[in-house]
Amino acid sequence: MRIIFAGTPEFAVPTLKMLLTSGHEVCAVYTQPDRPAGRGRKLQPSPIKETAQAAGIPVLQPDSLKSAEAVARLAAFEPELMVVVAYGMILPQAVLDVPKYGCLNVHASLLPRWRGAAPIQRALMAGDAETGVTIMRIALKLDAGDMLHKETVAIGTEDTTGDLHDKLAALGPIGLEQVLRQVEAGTVHAEPQDEALVTYAAKLEKSEATLDWTKPADELDRQVRGLNPWPVAQTLYRGEALRIWRAQPIPGPTGAEPGQVKCTQKHLDVATGSGWLRLLEVQLPGGKRMPAQAFLNAHDLHSLKLG
């Protein structure tokens, strides 16, 4: 099949690489316009643009696909299928109508749970036992199209958003490969989403980074893991934002106010609304990430209350 691929971040790269070696023809790649990044604020191409250019595939970066001209340019490639992975742009109906076999999306959740912008983080922070990827037909309503295939993975007790991101990025091409075979064979089974089971994965905000020590330790642990690698959980330490990269919940009564620190030679524990949260890796502004034990060696935290 002649396939147009649309995607932008690193998450989409494994799926594009699979398509490039699949025997199908990737006739064009759409990705977001280059964005300024780094200290010099130089324009940075997306990971998908770099991958496509290395493979000699035409790359298009329109600001929008709403104009008749943009739709006509896409249609000129005569795609039979369009595959979308974290493109970051809404496809209008005129675009959805172009490919013979429609448009497919690789979404990083087990739909209909966690439609929206931050499905990996929300699944982890909510305490879900598992997550996965759903291959779906694209409809105009956000992540609401019929489901064609799912790949599932358990959420481990130490998984961060970064860990799950990599696991799901690898599952995307596995699921899509199966659907492509079904499309060619005419055996696709489409399952409508149950609207009664829909949950929304709202975009992460920096304001969610601050830990509320009155919450239970296991909930705070999921928040720390869900916010790693961005925006990273934090608490107030002597007037500065102490970032918490890794932690571990310790069950049991604390007998202390939430936020109260308990130190030993090896451990830095913080009282929560239920249990202790053991800080494992922290970082002060301008400093490097370090194990909590190294932080304890350099700072006196006795009788201190965080937050």
Side-chain angles (χ1 to χ4, degrees):
M1 290 182 288
R2 284 177 60 81
I3 296 175
I4 285 180
F5 183 87
T8 299
E10 193 66 42
F11 182 83
V13 170
T15 300
L16 175 56
K17 285 185 174 179
M18 180 277 288
L19 289 173
L20 291 172
T21 59
S22 66
H24 299 286
E25 181 190 356
V26 180
C27 53
V29 166
Y30 279 70
T31 191
Q32 289 277 334
D34 296 356
R35 307 290 189 202
R39 291 184 178 179
R41 306 304 290 164
K42 291 182 179 179
L43 288 178
Q44 189 75 26
S46 74
I48 283 297
K49 180 178 180 178
E50 292 179 330
T51 304
Q53 287 181 328
I57 307 296
V59 176
L60 294 91
Q61 298 176 274
D63 290 317
S64 168
L65 290 169
K66 293 180 180 179
S67 70
E69 181 184 357
V71 175
R73 190 174 186 190
L74 186 145
F77 288 105
E78 299 182 344
E80 294 171 274
L81 184 72
M82 187 166 180
V83 173
V84 180
V85 187
Y87 179 32
M89 193 178 291
I90 299 294
L91 303 186
Q93 189 64 50
V95 168
L96 299 181
D97 292 339
V98 168
K100 175 182 176 181
Y101 297 113
C103 301
L104 303 183
N105 178 236
V106 179
H107 181 75
S109 83
L110 298 174
L111 291 170
R113 187 162 175 79
W114 303 126
R115 293 179 184 176
I120 301 175
Q121 297 92 329
R122 298 303 176 191
L124 200 163
M125 292 165 72
D128 292 4
E130 61 182 15
T131 185
V133 294
T134 302
I135 314 300
M136 56 175 281
R137 282 207 183 105
I138 300 180
L140 272 182
K141 188 177 177 183
L142 178 69
D143 298 330
D146 289 349
M147 303 175 294
L148 309 181
H149 183 81
K150 291 181 182 180
E151 293 284 338
T152 303
V153 65
I155 298 178
T157 56
E158 295 184 3
D159 277 339
T160 65
T161 285
D163 297 328
L164 286 179
H165 170 281
D166 294 349
K167 291 178 184 180
L168 298 183
L171 282 184
I174 294 173
L176 180 64
E177 209 166 11
Q178 294 200 38
V179 172
L180 292 180
R181 286 197 292 268
Q182 293 168 2
V183 170
E184 285 188 298
T187 59
V188 172
H189 172 69
E191 179 188 351
Q193 295 187 41
D194 185 344
E195 292 293 325
L197 300 178
V198 170
T199 59
Y200 283 95
K203 182 181 176 182
L204 276 188
E205 302 291 345
K206 284 188 177 181
S207 59
E208 296 180 67
T210 302
L211 297 181
D212 177 357
W213 295 111
T214 64
K215 292 182 177 179
D218 57 352
E219 185 177 335
L220 292 172
D221 167 56
R222 294 197 304 268
Q223 186 177 353
V224 169
R225 291 187 287 124
L227 299 175
N228 179 350
W230 188 91
V232 187
Q234 65 179 40
T235 188
L236 207 58
Y237 164 74
R238 301 192 193 282
E240 292 187 295
L242 179 69
R243 302 177 99 186
I244 301 169
W245 287 91
R246 292 192 307 119
Q248 176 187 358
I250 308 294
T254 64
E257 282 188 51
Q260 190 66 48
V261 172
K262 180 176 74 174
C263 300
T264 67
Q265 283 189 325
K266 292 185 177 181
H267 298 308
L268 170 52
D269 297 343
V270 186
T272 74
S274 176
W276 297 90
L277 189 68
R278 178 162 293 167
L279 309 191
L280 301 177
E281 188 177 7
V282 297
Q283 181 183 21
L284 281 173
K288 294 181 180 179
R289 293 167 59 170
M290 65 174 67
Q293 189 173 354
F295 185 76
L296 281 171
N297 292 339
H299 299 84
D300 181 12
L301 280 80
H302 287 287
S303 303
L304 190 72
K305 190 175 177 184
L306 299 178

